[in-house]
Amino acid sequence: GDASKDQLVEVFRDGKLLVDDTFATIRRRSNGETEKPQMVSTATGKPADVFNNIVMLTDSYKVTHHLQYPPGTTKVYSYFESRGGAYEDVCFFGLQYFLKRYMVGSIVTHAKIKEAESYFKSHFSHPKWGYDASLFNRAGWEHIVNSHNGRLPVRICSVPEGTVLPWKNVLFTMENTDPACFWLTNYLETLLVQVWYPTTVCTQSREQKKI
């Protein structure tokens, strides 16, 4: 498309939240008003809890994807878009919550890696052939702890929340910022595709207001 019409704004990089819009700002934006993103630099996330282990918040098959990329892969760039639906316009909403709740700060620890490895060992073990330790990317996660202080080395850009745009447009993008962590981009897809739920609710609510 026309690069001059690109509305993507960097909202997350290397464990830091860069945009923190209020709900009022998002609401005004969804009504067609021009609102600039509220730029911040927040590196403190939610307190840890047993249901907030980023190492485990993925589809089980993605745990093994690090073994399947072509040799020499250093960058994985992914994008999210609405391919179609009941309405021609999409009201984008919800990414900011997931970034704040699960991804901001030093969220990867040796304890969480150990917890995840124990779970995946049970999950992937076979009664006859046992467990293949290479399936879980322990070295990759330990690299994030040792080299990035547990912060996720990814960059996310999105249209400002509350933006209304036609489907078949990019809503947000994600890419790794550390060549050694190319596998991380799509590992996080499972968590972030949940943005479709609040986006769907907002899109439908906006259409219902027209009736």
Side-chain angles (χ1 to χ4, degrees):
D2 186 349
S4 66
K5 297 180 180 179
D6 188 355
Q7 298 184 53
L8 296 178
V9 176
E10 188 174 31
V11 296
F12 181 92
R13 178 189 280 267
D14 299 336
K16 291 185 178 181
L17 186 73
L18 303 179
V19 172
D20 191 2
D21 284 330
T22 65
F23 185 73
T25 297
I26 295 169
R27 186 183 182 93
R28 288 193 296 270
R29 195 178 287 136
S30 71
N31 288 330
E33 299 180 37
T34 300
E35 291 284 347
K36 293 184 178 180
Q38 304 299 305
M39 310 305 291
V40 296
S41 183
T42 302
T44 303
K46 289 283 187 177
D49 63 66
V50 295
F51 300 108
N52 188 17
N53 186 343
I54 194 69
V55 186
M56 299 172 66
L57 297 181
T58 194
D59 297 311
S60 61
Y61 70 92
K62 285 190 173 71
V63 175
T64 69
H65 275 186
H66 67 102
L67 300 172
Q68 303 174 46
Y69 286 97
T73 301
T74 58
K75 175 74 74 173
V76 173
Y77 178 95
S78 296
Y79 66 93
F80 291 68
E81 68 164 314
S82 173
R83 298 173 181 171
Y87 311 110
E88 293 186 359
D89 290 329
V90 178
C91 183
F92 179 63
F93 176 70
L95 175 63
Q96 186 171 282
Y97 164 78
F98 287 97
L99 297 180
K100 285 182 173 181
R101 179 68 178 82
Y102 296 104
M103 295 178 60
V104 173
S106 299
I107 62 171
V108 183
T109 65
H110 289 296
K112 288 185 176 182
I113 295 171
K114 182 178 180 180
E115 178 187 37
E117 184 176 44
S118 176
Y119 172 78
F120 290 130
K121 183 176 181 179
S122 174
H123 179 63
F124 288 117
S125 289
H126 190 278
K128 182 177 180 180
W129 294 292
Y131 173 66
D132 181 351
S134 70
L135 296 178
F136 175 61
N137 190 11
R138 182 183 183 95
W141 288 107
E142 288 181 336
H143 171 77
I144 292 175
V145 173
N146 297 330
S147 298
H148 300 282
N149 194 31
R151 302 183 190 279
L152 298 177
V154 295
R155 176 176 185 256
I156 298 174
C157 295
S158 79
V159 296
E161 295 203 28
T163 297
V164 177
L165 69 168
W167 41 260
K168 294 187 178 180
N169 279 284
V170 172
L171 299 173
F172 68 94
T173 66
M174 179 164 54
E175 61 188 302
N176 58 293
T177 58
D178 180 341
C181 296
F182 60 88
W183 54 271
L184 182 61
T185 304
N186 286 338
Y187 198 99
L188 298 172
E189 176 196 18
T190 304
L191 172 65
L192 294 182
V193 292
Q194 295 182 71
V195 174
W196 290 129
Y197 179 81
T199 293
T200 299
V201 170
C202 286
T203 298
Q204 291 187 346
S205 296
R206 180 176 178 272
E207 294 296 330
Q208 291 163 7
K209 287 173 63 177
K210 297 177 182 180
I211 300 174

PDB file of all heavy atoms in Angstrom, residues 107-137:
ATOM      1  N   ILE A 107      10.262 -10.386  32.749  1.00  0.00           N
ATOM      2  CA  ILE A 107       9.242 -11.408  33.019  1.00  0.00           C
ATOM      3  C   ILE A 107       9.756 -12.840  32.875  1.00  0.00           C
ATOM      4  O   ILE A 107       9.059 -13.778  33.271  1.00  0.00           O
ATOM      5  CB  ILE A 107       8.024 -11.205  32.099  1.00  0.00           C
ATOM      6  CG1 ILE A 107       8.436 -11.355  30.631  1.00  0.00           C
ATOM      7  CG2 ILE A 107       7.377  -9.853  32.354  1.00  0.00           C
ATOM      8  CD1 ILE A 107       7.243 -11.389  29.695  1.00  0.00           C
ATOM      9  N   VAL A 108      10.942 -13.026  32.309  1.00  0.00           N
ATOM     10  CA  VAL A 108      11.504 -14.369  32.173  1.00  0.00           C
ATOM     11  C   VAL A 108      12.549 -14.561  33.269  1.00  0.00           C
ATOM     12  O   VAL A 108      13.456 -13.745  33.433  1.00  0.00           O
ATOM     13  CB  VAL A 108      12.156 -14.574  30.786  1.00  0.00           C
ATOM     14  CG1 VAL A 108      12.665 -16.016  30.655  1.00  0.00           C
ATOM     15  CG2 VAL A 108      11.165 -14.260  29.669  1.00  0.00           C
ATOM     16  N   THR A 109      12.406 -15.630  34.026  1.00  0.00           N
ATOM     17  CA  THR A 109      13.342 -15.929  35.108  1.00  0.00           C
ATOM     18  C   THR A 109      13.771 -17.392  35.013  1.00  0.00           C
ATOM     19  O   THR A 109      13.129 -18.211  34.353  1.00  0.00           O
ATOM     20  CB  THR A 109      12.691 -15.704  36.487  1.00  0.00           C
ATOM     21  OG1 THR A 109      11.613 -16.645  36.655  1.00  0.00           O
ATOM     22  CG2 THR A 109      12.150 -14.279  36.619  1.00  0.00           C
ATOM     23  N   HIS A 110      14.848 -17.706  35.700  1.00  0.00           N
ATOM     24  CA  HIS A 110      15.300 -19.100  35.725  1.00  0.00           C
ATOM     25  C   HIS A 110      14.241 -20.001  36.367  1.00  0.00           C
ATOM     26  O   HIS A 110      14.071 -21.156  35.948  1.00  0.00           O
ATOM     27  CB  HIS A 110      16.627 -19.208  36.480  1.00  0.00           C
ATOM     28  CG  HIS A 110      17.791 -18.622  35.740  1.00  0.00           C
ATOM     29  ND1 HIS A 110      18.245 -19.145  34.537  1.00  0.00           N
ATOM     30  CD2 HIS A 110      18.600 -17.564  36.022  1.00  0.00           C
ATOM     31  CE1 HIS A 110      19.283 -18.435  34.121  1.00  0.00           C
ATOM     32  NE2 HIS A 110      19.516 -17.473  34.999  1.00  0.00           N
ATOM     33  N   ALA A 111      13.535 -19.477  37.367  1.00  0.00           N
ATOM     34  CA  ALA A 111      12.492 -20.270  38.023  1.00  0.00           C
ATOM     35  C   ALA A 111      11.350 -20.596  37.056  1.00  0.00           C
ATOM     36  O   ALA A 111      10.831 -21.719  37.048  1.00  0.00           O
ATOM     37  CB  ALA A 111      11.961 -19.517  39.237  1.00  0.00           C
ATOM     38  N   LYS A 112      10.978 -19.620  36.223  1.00  0.00           N
ATOM     39  CA  LYS A 112       9.905 -19.862  35.264  1.00  0.00           C
ATOM     40  C   LYS A 112      10.350 -20.836  34.169  1.00  0.00           C
ATOM     41  O   LYS A 112       9.547 -21.643  33.678  1.00  0.00           O
ATOM     42  CB  LYS A 112       9.437 -18.541  34.659  1.00  0.00           C
ATOM     43  CG  LYS A 112       8.646 -17.678  35.629  1.00  0.00           C
ATOM     44  CD  LYS A 112       8.093 -16.439  34.948  1.00  0.00           C
ATOM     45  CE  LYS A 112       7.232 -15.636  35.898  1.00  0.00           C
ATOM     46  NZ  LYS A 112       6.638 -14.439  35.246  1.00  0.00           N
ATOM     47  N   ILE A 113      11.609 -20.750  33.778  1.00  0.00           N
ATOM     48  CA  ILE A 113      12.133 -21.695  32.786  1.00  0.00           C
ATOM     49  C   ILE A 113      12.092 -23.110  33.354  1.00  0.00           C
ATOM     50  O   ILE A 113      11.688 -24.056  32.669  1.00  0.00           O
ATOM     51  CB  ILE A 113      13.573 -21.308  32.390  1.00  0.00           C
ATOM     52  CG1 ILE A 113      13.587 -19.951  31.679  1.00  0.00           C
ATOM     53  CG2 ILE A 113      14.197 -22.369  31.496  1.00  0.00           C
ATOM     54  CD1 ILE A 113      14.981 -19.387  31.453  1.00  0.00           C
ATOM     55  N   LYS A 114      12.504 -23.255  34.590  1.00  0.00           N
ATOM     56  CA  LYS A 114      12.495 -24.570  35.228  1.00  0.00           C
ATOM     57  C   LYS A 114      11.072 -25.108  35.332  1.00  0.00           C
ATOM     58  O   LYS A 114      10.829 -26.303  35.082  1.00  0.00           O
ATOM     59  CB  LYS A 114      13.126 -24.461  36.624  1.00  0.00           C
ATOM     60  CG  LYS A 114      13.224 -25.782  37.361  1.00  0.00           C
ATOM     61  CD  LYS A 114      13.895 -25.609  38.708  1.00  0.00           C
ATOM     62  CE  LYS A 114      13.982 -26.946  39.449  1.00  0.00           C
ATOM     63  NZ  LYS A 114      14.658 -26.778  40.786  1.00  0.00           N
ATOM     64  N   GLU A 115      10.135 -24.239  35.713  1.00  0.00           N
ATOM     65  CA  GLU A 115       8.737 -24.649  35.814  1.00  0.00           C
ATOM     66  C   GLU A 115       8.198 -25.118  34.464  1.00  0.00           C
ATOM     67  O   GLU A 115       7.528 -26.156  34.362  1.00  0.00           O
ATOM     68  CB  GLU A 115       7.889 -23.484  36.335  1.00  0.00           C
ATOM     69  CG  GLU A 115       6.398 -23.800  36.429  1.00  0.00           C
ATOM     70  CD  GLU A 115       5.574 -22.576  36.783  1.00  0.00           C
ATOM     71  OE1 GLU A 115       5.903 -21.466  36.302  1.00  0.00           O
ATOM     72  OE2 GLU A 115       4.589 -22.731  37.535  1.00  0.00           O
ATOM     73  N   ALA A 116       8.499 -24.353  33.417  1.00  0.00           N
ATOM     74  CA  ALA A 116       8.019 -24.697  32.082  1.00  0.00           C
ATOM     75  C   ALA A 116       8.642 -25.999  31.594  1.00  0.00           C
ATOM     76  O   ALA A 116       7.964 -26.851  31.018  1.00  0.00           O
ATOM     77  CB  ALA A 116       8.328 -23.562  31.102  1.00  0.00           C
ATOM     78  N   GLU A 117       9.942 -26.152  31.821  1.00  0.00           N
ATOM     79  CA  GLU A 117      10.616 -27.369  31.367  1.00  0.00           C
ATOM     80  C   GLU A 117      10.022 -28.602  32.044  1.00  0.00           C
ATOM     81  O   GLU A 117       9.825 -29.648  31.400  1.00  0.00           O
ATOM     82  CB  GLU A 117      12.108 -27.283  31.658  1.00  0.00           C
ATOM     83  CG  GLU A 117      12.883 -28.470  31.116  1.00  0.00           C
ATOM     84  CD  GLU A 117      14.385 -28.321  31.316  1.00  0.00           C
ATOM     85  OE1 GLU A 117      14.786 -27.902  32.420  1.00  0.00           O
ATOM     86  OE2 GLU A 117      15.137 -28.613  30.373  1.00  0.00           O
ATOM     87  N   SER A 118       9.706 -28.498  33.315  1.00  0.00           N
ATOM     88  CA  SER A 118       9.102 -29.612  34.035  1.00  0.00           C
ATOM     89  C   SER A 118       7.746 -29.974  33.444  1.00  0.00           C
ATOM     90  O   SER A 118       7.427 -31.161  33.256  1.00  0.00           O
ATOM     91  CB  SER A 118       8.945 -29.246  35.516  1.00  0.00           C
ATOM     92  OG  SER A 118       8.283 -30.281  36.214  1.00  0.00           O
ATOM     93  N   TYR A 119       6.963 -28.950  33.117  1.00  0.00           N
ATOM     94  CA  TYR A 119       5.646 -29.198  32.526  1.00  0.00           C
ATOM     95  C   TYR A 119       5.766 -29.834  31.143  1.00  0.00           C
ATOM     96  O   TYR A 119       5.094 -30.829  30.837  1.00  0.00           O
ATOM     97  CB  TYR A 119       4.857 -27.894  32.428  1.00  0.00           C
ATOM     98  CG  TYR A 119       3.566 -28.061  31.656  1.00  0.00           C
ATOM     99  CD1 TYR A 119       2.453 -28.640  32.241  1.00  0.00           C
ATOM    100  CD2 TYR A 119       3.493 -27.673  30.313  1.00  0.00           C
ATOM    101  CE1 TYR A 119       1.281 -28.818  31.525  1.00  0.00           C
ATOM    102  CE2 TYR A 119       2.335 -27.851  29.589  1.00  0.00           C
ATOM    103  CZ  TYR A 119       1.224 -28.421  30.201  1.00  0.00           C
ATOM    104  OH  TYR A 119       0.071 -28.614  29.480  1.00  0.00           O
ATOM    105  N   PHE A 120       6.637 -29.281  30.300  1.00  0.00           N
ATOM    106  CA  PHE A 120       6.763 -29.794  28.939  1.00  0.00           C
ATOM    107  C   PHE A 120       7.370 -31.196  28.924  1.00  0.00           C
ATOM    108  O   PHE A 120       7.084 -31.995  28.026  1.00  0.00           O
ATOM    109  CB  PHE A 120       7.586 -28.831  28.081  1.00  0.00           C
ATOM    110  CG  PHE A 120       6.877 -27.550  27.770  1.00  0.00           C
ATOM    111  CD1 PHE A 120       7.498 -26.324  27.982  1.00  0.00           C
ATOM    112  CD2 PHE A 120       5.576 -27.559  27.288  1.00  0.00           C
ATOM    113  CE1 PHE A 120       6.842 -25.140  27.708  1.00  0.00           C
ATOM    114  CE2 PHE A 120       4.907 -26.371  27.004  1.00  0.00           C
ATOM    115  CZ  PHE A 120       5.538 -25.163  27.217  1.00  0.00           C
ATOM    116  N   LYS A 121       8.205 -31.502  29.896  1.00  0.00           N
ATOM    117  CA  LYS A 121       8.753 -32.856  29.986  1.00  0.00           C
ATOM    118  C   LYS A 121       7.628 -33.852  30.198  1.00  0.00           C
ATOM    119  O   LYS A 121       7.604 -34.930  29.579  1.00  0.00           O
ATOM    120  CB  LYS A 121       9.757 -32.939  31.131  1.00  0.00           C
ATOM    121  CG  LYS A 121      10.425 -34.307  31.249  1.00  0.00           C
ATOM    122  CD  LYS A 121      11.485 -34.311  32.337  1.00  0.00           C
ATOM    123  CE  LYS A 121      12.162 -35.680  32.420  1.00  0.00           C
ATOM    124  NZ  LYS A 121      13.229 -35.703  33.457  1.00  0.00           N
ATOM    125  N   SER A 122       6.689 -33.484  31.053  1.00  0.00           N
ATOM    126  CA  SER A 122       5.529 -34.355  31.272  1.00  0.00           C
ATOM    127  C   SER A 122       4.632 -34.396  30.046  1.00  0.00           C
ATOM    128  O   SER A 122       4.131 -35.461  29.642  1.00  0.00           O
ATOM    129  CB  SER A 122       4.735 -33.851  32.486  1.00  0.00           C
ATOM    130  OG  SER A 122       3.535 -34.577  32.645  1.00  0.00           O
ATOM    131  N   HIS A 123       4.445 -33.239  29.425  1.00  0.00           N
ATOM    132  CA  HIS A 123       3.534 -33.117  28.290  1.00  0.00           C
ATOM    133  C   HIS A 123       4.028 -33.888  27.061  1.00  0.00           C
ATOM    134  O   HIS A 123       3.244 -34.535  26.361  1.00  0.00           O
ATOM    135  CB  HIS A 123       3.373 -31.634  27.939  1.00  0.00           C
ATOM    136  CG  HIS A 123       2.479 -31.368  26.776  1.00  0.00           C
ATOM    137  ND1 HIS A 123       1.137 -31.687  26.771  1.00  0.00           N
ATOM    138  CD2 HIS A 123       2.730 -30.799  25.567  1.00  0.00           C
ATOM    139  CE1 HIS A 123       0.596 -31.333  25.615  1.00  0.00           C
ATOM    140  NE2 HIS A 123       1.551 -30.788  24.869  1.00  0.00           N
ATOM    141  N   PHE A 124       5.324 -33.837  26.807  1.00  0.00           N
ATOM    142  CA  PHE A 124       5.874 -34.431  25.595  1.00  0.00           C
ATOM    143  C   PHE A 124       6.432 -35.847  25.789  1.00  0.00           C
ATOM    144  O   PHE A 124       6.852 -36.473  24.815  1.00  0.00           O
ATOM    145  CB  PHE A 124       6.984 -33.538  25.025  1.00  0.00           C
ATOM    146  CG  PHE A 124       6.488 -32.268  24.394  1.00  0.00           C
ATOM    147  CD1 PHE A 124       6.850 -31.030  24.916  1.00  0.00           C
ATOM    148  CD2 PHE A 124       5.668 -32.292  23.282  1.00  0.00           C
ATOM    149  CE1 PHE A 124       6.401 -29.852  24.340  1.00  0.00           C
ATOM    150  CE2 PHE A 124       5.213 -31.119  22.696  1.00  0.00           C
ATOM    151  CZ  PHE A 124       5.575 -29.900  23.229  1.00  0.00           C
ATOM    152  N   SER A 125       6.463 -36.331  26.988  1.00  0.00           N
ATOM    153  CA  SER A 125       7.029 -37.654  27.228  1.00  0.00           C
ATOM    154  C   SER A 125       6.168 -38.746  26.604  1.00  0.00           C
ATOM    155  O   SER A 125       4.927 -38.665  26.607  1.00  0.00           O
ATOM    156  CB  SER A 125       7.178 -37.914  28.730  1.00  0.00           C
ATOM    157  OG  SER A 125       8.211 -37.141  29.281  1.00  0.00           O
ATOM    158  N   HIS A 126       6.825 -39.754  26.086  1.00  0.00           N
ATOM    159  CA  HIS A 126       6.145 -40.892  25.468  1.00  0.00           C
ATOM    160  C   HIS A 126       6.364 -42.124  26.353  1.00  0.00           C
ATOM    161  O   HIS A 126       7.479 -42.342  26.853  1.00  0.00           O
ATOM    162  CB  HIS A 126       6.710 -41.142  24.065  1.00  0.00           C
ATOM    163  CG  HIS A 126       5.931 -42.133  23.262  1.00  0.00           C
ATOM    164  ND1 HIS A 126       6.102 -43.490  23.396  1.00  0.00           N
ATOM    165  CD2 HIS A 126       4.960 -41.964  22.316  1.00  0.00           C
ATOM    166  CE1 HIS A 126       5.290 -44.127  22.568  1.00  0.00           C
ATOM    167  NE2 HIS A 126       4.585 -43.229  21.915  1.00  0.00           N
ATOM    168  N   PRO A 127       5.331 -42.932  26.561  1.00  0.00           N
ATOM    169  CA  PRO A 127       5.484 -44.088  27.465  1.00  0.00           C
ATOM    170  C   PRO A 127       6.551 -45.082  27.025  1.00  0.00           C
ATOM    171  O   PRO A 127       7.123 -45.798  27.851  1.00  0.00           O
ATOM    172  CB  PRO A 127       4.096 -44.724  27.446  1.00  0.00           C
ATOM    173  CG  PRO A 127       3.414 -44.193  26.229  1.00  0.00           C
ATOM    174  CD  PRO A 127       3.980 -42.821  26.033  1.00  0.00           C
ATOM    175  N   LYS A 128       6.874 -45.125  25.732  1.00  0.00           N
ATOM    176  CA  LYS A 128       7.876 -46.061  25.233  1.00  0.00           C
ATOM    177  C   LYS A 128       9.208 -45.391  24.959  1.00  0.00           C
ATOM    178  O   LYS A 128      10.267 -45.925  25.307  1.00  0.00           O
ATOM    179  CB  LYS A 128       7.364 -46.734  23.960  1.00  0.00           C
ATOM    180  CG  LYS A 128       8.328 -47.764  23.387  1.00  0.00           C
ATOM    181  CD  LYS A 128       7.745 -48.454  22.154  1.00  0.00           C
ATOM    182  CE  LYS A 128       8.717 -49.495  21.589  1.00  0.00           C
ATOM    183  NZ  LYS A 128       8.158 -50.183  20.385  1.00  0.00           N
ATOM    184  N   TRP A 129       9.179 -44.224  24.304  1.00  0.00           N
ATOM    185  CA  TRP A 129      10.416 -43.573  23.869  1.00  0.00           C
ATOM    186  C   TRP A 129      10.894 -42.475  24.808  1.00  0.00           C
ATOM    187  O   TRP A 129      11.946 -41.894  24.592  1.00  0.00           O
ATOM    188  CB  TRP A 129      10.235 -43.017  22.454  1.00  0.00           C
ATOM    189  CG  TRP A 129      10.054 -44.103  21.437  1.00  0.00           C
ATOM    190  CD1 TRP A 129      10.992 -45.022  21.038  1.00  0.00           C
ATOM    191  CD2 TRP A 129       8.860 -44.408  20.728  1.00  0.00           C
ATOM    192  NE1 TRP A 129      10.449 -45.877  20.106  1.00  0.00           N
ATOM    193  CE2 TRP A 129       9.146 -45.531  19.890  1.00  0.00           C
ATOM    194  CE3 TRP A 129       7.572 -43.869  20.693  1.00  0.00           C
ATOM    195  CZ2 TRP A 129       8.189 -46.108  19.068  1.00  0.00           C
ATOM    196  CZ3 TRP A 129       6.619 -44.443  19.866  1.00  0.00           C
ATOM    197  CH2 TRP A 129       6.929 -45.549  19.063  1.00  0.00           C
ATOM    198  N   GLY A 130      10.127 -42.171  25.842  1.00  0.00           N
ATOM    199  CA  GLY A 130      10.577 -41.192  26.825  1.00  0.00           C
ATOM    200  C   GLY A 130      10.479 -39.758  26.326  1.00  0.00           C
ATOM    201  O   GLY A 130       9.590 -39.410  25.546  1.00  0.00           O
ATOM    202  N   TYR A 131      11.424 -38.933  26.757  1.00  0.00           N
ATOM    203  CA  TYR A 131      11.387 -37.500  26.484  1.00  0.00           C
ATOM    204  C   TYR A 131      12.649 -37.051  25.761  1.00  0.00           C
ATOM    205  O   TYR A 131      13.767 -37.423  26.140  1.00  0.00           O
ATOM    206  CB  TYR A 131      11.250 -36.728  27.801  1.00  0.00           C
ATOM    207  CG  TYR A 131      11.360 -35.228  27.674  1.00  0.00           C
ATOM    208  CD1 TYR A 131      10.397 -34.497  26.988  1.00  0.00           C
ATOM    209  CD2 TYR A 131      12.432 -34.538  28.250  1.00  0.00           C
ATOM    210  CE1 TYR A 131      10.492 -33.111  26.872  1.00  0.00           C
ATOM    211  CE2 TYR A 131      12.535 -33.160  28.148  1.00  0.00           C
ATOM    212  CZ  TYR A 131      11.557 -32.459  27.451  1.00  0.00           C
ATOM    213  OH  TYR A 131      11.668 -31.098  27.337  1.00  0.00           O
ATOM    214  N   ASP A 132      12.471 -36.237  24.724  1.00  0.00           N
ATOM    215  CA  ASP A 132      13.591 -35.660  23.983  1.00  0.00           C
ATOM    216  C   ASP A 132      13.832 -34.250  24.519  1.00  0.00           C
ATOM    217  O   ASP A 132      13.022 -33.338  24.282  1.00  0.00           O
ATOM    218  CB  ASP A 132      13.257 -35.619  22.488  1.00  0.00           C
ATOM    219  CG  ASP A 132      14.394 -35.054  21.643  1.00  0.00           C
ATOM    220  OD1 ASP A 132      15.376 -34.537  22.225  1.00  0.00           O
ATOM    221  OD2 ASP A 132      14.289 -35.093  20.407  1.00  0.00           O
ATOM    222  N   ALA A 133      14.911 -34.062  25.243  1.00  0.00           N
ATOM    223  CA  ALA A 133      15.181 -32.775  25.902  1.00  0.00           C
ATOM    224  C   ALA A 133      15.378 -31.631  24.924  1.00  0.00           C
ATOM    225  O   ALA A 133      15.270 -30.463  25.308  1.00  0.00           O
ATOM    226  CB  ALA A 133      16.413 -32.905  26.798  1.00  0.00           C
ATOM    227  N   SER A 134      15.656 -31.927  23.647  1.00  0.00           N
ATOM    228  CA  SER A 134      15.878 -30.857  22.673  1.00  0.00           C
ATOM    229  C   SER A 134      14.582 -30.155  22.277  1.00  0.00           C
ATOM    230  O   SER A 134      14.614 -29.080  21.673  1.00  0.00           O
ATOM    231  CB  SER A 134      16.558 -31.414  21.413  1.00  0.00           C
ATOM    232  OG  SER A 134      15.673 -32.249  20.679  1.00  0.00           O
ATOM    233  N   LEU A 135      13.435 -30.745  22.608  1.00  0.00           N
ATOM    234  CA  LEU A 135      12.157 -30.157  22.199  1.00  0.00           C
ATOM    235  C   LEU A 135      11.936 -28.791  22.839  1.00  0.00           C
ATOM    236  O   LEU A 135      11.423 -27.872  22.205  1.00  0.00           O
ATOM    237  CB  LEU A 135      10.995 -31.097  22.576  1.00  0.00           C
ATOM    238  CG  LEU A 135      10.972 -32.457  21.865  1.00  0.00           C
ATOM    239  CD1 LEU A 135       9.804 -33.299  22.373  1.00  0.00           C
ATOM    240  CD2 LEU A 135      10.894 -32.284  20.350  1.00  0.00           C
ATOM    241  N   PHE A 136      12.317 -28.632  24.086  1.00  0.00           N
ATOM    242  CA  PHE A 136      12.152 -27.362  24.798  1.00  0.00           C
ATOM    243  C   PHE A 136      13.416 -26.526  24.646  1.00  0.00           C
ATOM    244  O   PHE A 136      14.519 -26.992  24.922  1.00  0.00           O
ATOM    245  CB  PHE A 136      11.863 -27.619  26.276  1.00  0.00           C
ATOM    246  CG  PHE A 136      11.784 -26.370  27.114  1.00  0.00           C
ATOM    247  CD1 PHE A 136      10.831 -25.403  26.850  1.00  0.00           C
ATOM    248  CD2 PHE A 136      12.672 -26.162  28.159  1.00  0.00           C
ATOM    249  CE1 PHE A 136      10.752 -24.244  27.624  1.00  0.00           C
ATOM    250  CE2 PHE A 136      12.602 -25.014  28.936  1.00  0.00           C
ATOM    251  CZ  PHE A 136      11.636 -24.058  28.659  1.00  0.00           C
ATOM    252  N   ASN A 137      13.249 -25.281  24.257  1.00  0.00           N
ATOM    253  CA  ASN A 137      14.379 -24.397  23.966  1.00  0.00           C
ATOM    254  C   ASN A 137      14.895 -23.727  25.244  1.00  0.00           C
ATOM    255  O   ASN A 137      14.853 -22.503  25.395  1.00  0.00           O
ATOM    256  CB  ASN A 137      13.948 -23.339  22.934  1.00  0.00           C
ATOM    257  CG  ASN A 137      15.117 -22.542  22.401  1.00  0.00           C
ATOM    258  OD1 ASN A 137      16.271 -22.885  22.629  1.00  0.00           O
ATOM    259  ND2 ASN A 137      14.814 -21.482  21.677  1.00  0.00           N
TER     260      ASN A 137
END
